[in-house]
Amino acid sequence: PLANDKTMVLSQQIPVRKEETKVPNGDNADGTHAMAWPAGLQLVNCIQESRSSDLEQVIKESDSILELGSGLGAVGLAMALATDNKTKTICLTDCHSAMPLLEHNVQQNQHLIPPNVTFHTRSLNWEQQDNEDAQKFDLVVGSDVLYNVNLIPALVATLKRHAKKFILLATRWRKPDLERRFFEDTNECVDWKLVDLLTCKLSWKDYGNPTNSESNAYFWRTTVAVNGILKPLAEISEEDTKLMCKEEHDAWERLQIQVYVGKVKVVADDNEPNTKRTRVDS
C-alpha cells in the first residue's frame, strides 16, 4: 500500500524464455534482484511518509533521477509518485539478467506513473561501463547496494560517473568495518547526512565500530524479541534469526538500516578561479 490509497503490485517471478535467463559473462547476477529487501522498503516508506525535510528538498530539486540496483522497482516507482507534478525523468537500472522482471513490474504499475514523469529502464553493469556513457543525473539512488563489498570500488566509480548533485542511499549494515569503506572512498567528494532518524542515529563512522562507546551502547541497550524473549542487538545470532517470527525479524532488520543523503561537493575549477565544477575525482 502507498500514499493516497494507491497500491503497488510487485512480482518476484515471471515466465521467461530460456535465452532471457542466460547470464552473460561479467553480469554478476546472484538472484537478489528478485526479492523485496528491507532497506528498499524502508526507503519507500521514507519517501512516501516525507520523514525528512532534507529528503523532500533533494527530491524537489532533482529533475533527473537514476536508480542503481533497482531490483523489483519499488523505490523508483515510489520516486515517481513523489514528484509534486513537476516534470522529471526517472531511469531504473540493474544488471542485464534482472531487466525482464524489472520491466514487467514497471509495466504492471504503469498506471501509477504520473504523466509529468518520463520513466524508463536500462541495464547497467557497474564493472563494464562504456566510457561514452557518462550521463549525469541530479540524483542517484541506491538501496542495499553495499551487501557485496567486492563491488564497492565499481559502485563508487559508477556514482562518480553519474551523480551530479545528490545521492540517496539506504544501507542495511552487515559488515560495518568493510562496508564503511564505501563512505570513506566517497567522503572527499560527497557530504553525507543521516536523514531517517526513526531508528539508529549513529553516523556511518561510528555504526558498528567496536572502538566507539556510543555504538557499543546502542548495540547493548537496543533489544530485539526472539520468540517473545528480549535480547540485546549485540547478542543476536544467526540461530536467533531463525527463531524469530516475521514481525520480530522485520524489527531486527529495521534496526540495522540507515538512510543517507549525500550532497556532491562543488569546488573551484583549477584552471578557472571564478568558476565551479562538480567534484567527482578521487
Side-chain angles (χ1 to χ4, degrees):
L2 300 171
N4 302 321
D5 297 322
K6 296 181 179 180
T7 300
M8 186 188 302
V9 179
L10 299 174
S11 301
Q12 293 183 287
Q13 186 177 5
I14 57 172
V16 292
R17 297 188 300 271
K18 183 177 180 180
E19 61 268 22
E20 290 177 320
T21 61
K22 183 178 179 181
V23 179
N25 292 334
D27 192 67
N28 281 325
D30 54 9
T32 55
H33 67 276
M35 304 177 190
W37 291 97
L41 296 178
Q42 184 149 322
L43 184 52
V44 168
N45 290 335
C46 287
I47 296 168
Q48 289 290 297
E49 297 171 9
S50 300
R51 292 183 187 173
S52 164
S53 58
D54 293 290
L55 179 54
E56 283 188 272
Q57 191 65 25
V58 163
I59 295 175
K60 183 178 180 180
E61 294 182 14
S62 300
D63 294 334
S64 57
I65 301 172
L66 173 71
E67 185 186 9
L68 304 178
S70 298
L72 300 180
V75 173
L77 288 165
M79 278 285 180
L81 296 174
T83 58
D84 293 330
N85 297 319
K86 188 178 180 181
T87 301
K88 290 185 184 292
T89 298
I90 300 177
C91 179
L92 274 58
T93 68
D94 213 314
C95 59
H96 176 74
S97 59
M99 295 311 298
L101 181 57
L102 176 58
E103 291 166 354
H104 171 75
N105 279 325
V106 169
Q107 185 61 39
Q108 67 178 352
N109 289 283
Q110 193 71 38
H111 62 284
L112 297 176
I113 301 173
N116 56 294
V117 176
T118 301
F119 202 89
H120 56 101
T121 62
R122 53 163 291 197
S123 62
L124 180 63
N125 187 324
W126 304 347
E127 295 182 296
Q128 298 180 356
Q129 295 192 55
D130 189 334
N131 289 332
E132 296 182 359
D133 179 20
Q135 180 182 355
K136 294 290 186 181
F137 292 81
D138 293 330
L139 172 62
V140 178
V141 184
S143 57
D144 213 347
V145 290
L146 305 184
Y147 77 95
N148 185 345
V149 294
N150 293 324
L151 288 177
I152 286 179
L155 172 60
V156 171
T158 300
L159 289 172
K160 290 180 177 180
R161 177 185 295 267
H162 295 292
K164 180 180 180 181
K165 295 166 62 176
F166 306 107
I167 300 169
L168 175 59
L169 179 75
T171 184
R172 197 294 201 182
W173 296 98
R174 294 179 178 84
K175 301 175 182 177
D177 287 345
L178 298 178
E179 294 157 340
R180 209 180 329 277
R181 175 186 173 188
F182 166 81
F183 292 95
E184 293 170 347
D185 288 351
T186 56
N187 198 41
E188 286 189 0
C189 54
V190 180
D191 283 322
W192 292 104
K193 182 177 182 179
L194 185 64
V195 294
D196 183 5
L197 303 179
L198 289 187
T199 52
C200 178
K201 299 180 182 179
L202 294 168
S203 73
W204 63 265
K205 295 180 181 179
D206 299 330
Y207 187 97
N209 185 343
T211 66
N212 183 269
S213 59
E214 291 185 4
S215 177
N216 292 333
Y218 172 77
F219 278 88
W220 283 104
R221 294 173 183 172
T222 303
T223 57
V224 182
V226 180
N227 198 22
I229 301 174
L230 293 178
K231 295 185 65 173
L233 184 58
E235 290 189 337
I236 298 299
S237 65
E238 183 176 350
E239 189 61 31
D240 287 328
T241 64
K242 296 177 182 178
L243 298 174
M244 294 176 177
C245 67
K246 183 181 185 305
E247 291 74 17
E248 292 172 340
H249 195 275
D250 288 347
W252 173 70
E253 286 279 356
R254 285 193 296 271
L255 291 171
Q256 300 168 94
I257 297 171
Q258 292 188 305
V259 179
Y260 288 89
V261 161
K263 185 174 182 180
V264 179
K265 295 179 183 179
V266 177
V267 296
D269 193 301
D270 296 335
N271 298 318
E272 299 289 342
N274 296 322
T275 64
K276 292 183 177 181
R277 59 183 173 83
T278 301
R279 178 168 185 168
V280 294
D281 52 305
S282 302

